[in-house]
Amino acid sequence: MGKKLIITSAILFLITCIIIWNLSLQRIELFHKNITLVEEIKAKNKLKDAESRLFELYNISKKNVTFLSKLVELDLKTDVPLEVTQKKLRHFLNTDSNYFQARFIDLKGMEVIRIENKDSTVASTFQFKGNRDYFKKTLKLAKGDVHISNMNLNIENDTIELPHRPTVRFFTPIYIDKELYGIVGLNLNAKNWLENFKGQDIGFLNSKKVVFYSGDNETLYAPSKLNLSKRDRYGDALYVKRKVSLEGNQTWTLYTKPDIASIRQQMADYKKSNYTTAAILTIGIILFLCIIYMLYKKNTYIDSLNQTIKSRLNERDTLLKEIHHRVKNNLQVITSLLSLQSSFIKDDKIKGLFRYSQYRINSMAIIHEMLYRSKDLSRINYGDYVKQLATTLIASMKGSDKKIDLHIEAEELHLNLDTSVPLGLMVNEIITNSLKYGFKNKDEGTISIKFEKLKYPNFLLHIGDNGTGFSDEIDFRNTKSLGLKLIHMLTLQLKGTIEKDNTENGTHYIITFQEIEQIS
C-alpha cells in the first residue's frame, strides 16, 4: 500500500509539474506575442503618422505648383512682361522656405525663368533641361496633372550641389488654348521636409533605397546597409517598415525600430514573476505531498495502534466473558451445594433459609449469565433480566401450573453491573415475599413491575402484587424480617428511598434509586 501511494504521488507530482510549467511557458509565449504586437502597432502608428505628414506636404506642393502654373499661364495669355512673372515667382519663394527653386521651361527644354530661394535672384544664364527625365515625363501629362520626381540630390551643371540638398521636383504642363506651351516646376528642399521626423527614430529611403533620413545613424545619401527584414534571436522583427506611394508616382520607404529594450525588460519581469509563481506552486505541491505522506505514516501508525488496542480489547472482552461465565458457574455450584446441604436438614424453617439464599444467589448468577451472553459487557437489558428472574422464582416457589401473571414495564432500560446486582437482590426479595406471603393460600394473582426514567441518574420503581397484603401486626419500617431488612439496606446502597403504597390492593412499593457510577 505504501509503495503504491508513493508511486501514485510521484506520477501525480510529475503530471502536475508538467502542467504548471507548460502553462507558464504558454503564458510567457502569449505575453511575448502580445507585447511584441503592441510595440509593432505603436511603430506602425508612428509610421502611419509620418506618412500622413508626407501626404500633407505632398498635397500642398501639388497645389502650389498648380497655382504657379495658372499664374504663369495667365501672364502668358495677357502678354504680361516676363519681369512681372519673375517677380511673382520670387515673391512666392520668399514666403515659403520649403522650396528653393521655381522654373519655367519651354518646349525645347530651355529654362525661361529660374528663381533661386537662397538669394531670391533671377538667373541671368539658363540651362538646358530637355534631357532630364522630369521634363520628358511632364510634357506627356494632361493639363492639371503633376509629375513628382524621385527624391535625389540636386544637380547643377551636371554636379551634385554641396552642401547636399535632397530634392523632390514638382512639375506640371502649361496649356494655352489647349496648346502645350511649356512646364512650370518647384524644387522642394526635402531636407526641411524630412525634419518632421526629427526625434521620432524614423528612417527614410527613396525608391533606390538611398538613405535620405536616418534614425539609425546610417550614412546619408548612400545606399542603405540595413536589412529591414532582419529578426533577432527571439524571432522579433528589428524593424517595422511602410511603403509610401504618392498616387502611384513614387515609392518611398519609411522604417523605424520597435522598442526592443522595453520588450526585453517586460519579458524579463514577466518571466521572473511566472517562474516564481510556478516554483512556489511546485514547492507547495511537494510540501502538500510530504504532509500527505506524513499523515499516511501517522495514520498507518494509528491504525497499527488501533489494531493492537482492538486486539487487546477483544482479549479483555473474552476474558471478562470468561470471568462472568465462571462467576455464574461458581454461583450455581454454591447453589447446588446449598441444595445438597439442605437435603440433610429436617427442620423446614432452616431449609427455607437455605432455599431463599439459593434464590438470592441465583439472582446474581442470572446477571453474570446475561453479561456473558451480551455484546455489551458493561450493561444488561434490565427488562429481560427482571422477567427471567421473576419467571424463575414463580416456577421455583409456586410451580409452573400456577396462574401468577407478570406485568413488566421496563422498555430500553439498561443498567450497569454495580447497579444491577443490588437492585436484582431487592427485586428478588420483594417477589419472594409476594410469592411467600401475598399468595400464601392462593394459586392466582398478578405481580406488577414498572420502571420509570427520571432525570439522570435517578429512576423510579413501582413493584407489588395484588395478594393479601401486609398484616397489621408487621411494622414495615421496623421489622425483624431478614427480607425487609435487606430491602431497606439495598435501597440505601442505591441512594434511594422506599415507600409503601397503601392506595393499591395487596402490597406495593414505590422505590427511587440511582444508577451507581461504575468505577472500573
Side-chain angles (χ1 to χ4, degrees), residues 331-398:
L331 290 174
Q332 285 183 340
V333 169
I334 294 171
T335 302
S336 300
L337 288 173
L338 289 174
S339 178
L340 182 62
Q341 184 67 45
S342 65
S343 64
F344 294 99
I345 297 174
K346 302 299 182 180
D347 190 334
D348 290 337
K349 187 175 182 180
I350 295 174
K351 273 188 175 183
L353 293 175
F354 273 80
R355 187 167 60 254
Y356 298 142
S357 295
Q358 286 178 278
Y359 295 155
R360 294 178 185 118
I361 293 169
N362 185 59
S363 70
M364 293 186 287
I366 293 172
I367 292 174
H368 287 284
E369 173 69 15
M370 293 186 74
L371 285 171
Y372 168 70
R373 298 185 181 280
S374 174
K375 292 182 180 180
D376 186 356
L377 295 174
S378 62
R379 295 175 179 276
I380 62 169
N381 187 321
Y382 219 73
D384 294 343
Y385 166 73
V386 170
K387 184 176 181 181
Q388 184 176 343
L389 175 63
T391 302
T392 302
L393 287 172
I394 292 170
S396 299
M397 295 181 68
K398 288 294 185 178

Side-chain angles (χ1 to χ4, degrees), residues 110-126:
M110 200 66 195
E111 291 179 336
V112 179
I113 299 174
R114 186 172 82 243
I115 308 296
E116 299 288 346
N117 182 275
K118 58 184 178 180
D119 53 11
S120 299
T121 60
V122 179
S124 56
T125 59
F126 301 102

Side-chain angles (χ1 to χ4, degrees), residues 1 9 98 120 123 130 159 172 236 250 277 279 303 428 454 473:
M1 180 65 182
S9 299
N98 284 322
S120 299
T159 304
T172 186
D236 297 330
Q250 300 294 327
T277 302
D303 286 342
N428 177 82
L454 303 178
E473 299 175 357

Side-chain angles (χ1 to χ4, degrees), residues 487-500:
I487 291 170
H488 286 292
M489 289 173 61
L490 293 169
T491 302
L492 291 175
Q493 185 178 339
L494 291 169
K495 300 179 182 180
T497 61
I498 183 168
E499 298 290 339
K500 188 171 176 294

Side-chain angles (χ1 to χ4, degrees), residues 163-174:
H164 293 109
R165 181 154 55 179
T167 305
V168 180
R169 297 171 178 83
F170 293 82
F171 278 87
T172 186
I174 293 177

Side-chain angles (χ1 to χ4, degrees), residues 450-513:
K450 181 180 180 183
F451 288 94
E452 292 182 22
K453 292 181 181 180
L454 303 178
K455 185 178 180 180
Y456 186 83
N458 298 304
F459 295 87
L460 187 64
L461 169 61
H462 297 268
I463 183 169
D465 61 75
N466 60 353
T468 56
F470 263 78
S471 170
D472 294 335
E473 299 175 357
I474 298 175
D475 185 357
F476 164 66
R477 295 200 178 274
N478 187 15
T479 178
K480 296 180 179 179
S481 168
L482 178 61
L484 288 175
K485 283 184 177 181
L486 277 173
I487 291 170
H488 286 292
M489 289 173 61
L490 293 169
T491 302
L492 291 175
Q493 185 178 339
L494 291 169
K495 300 179 182 180
T497 61
I498 183 168
E499 298 290 339
K500 188 171 176 294
D501 187 1
N502 295 319
T503 61
E504 300 284 344
N505 292 327
T507 303
H508 292 271
Y509 299 100
I510 300 174
I511 302 169
T512 62
F513 67 93

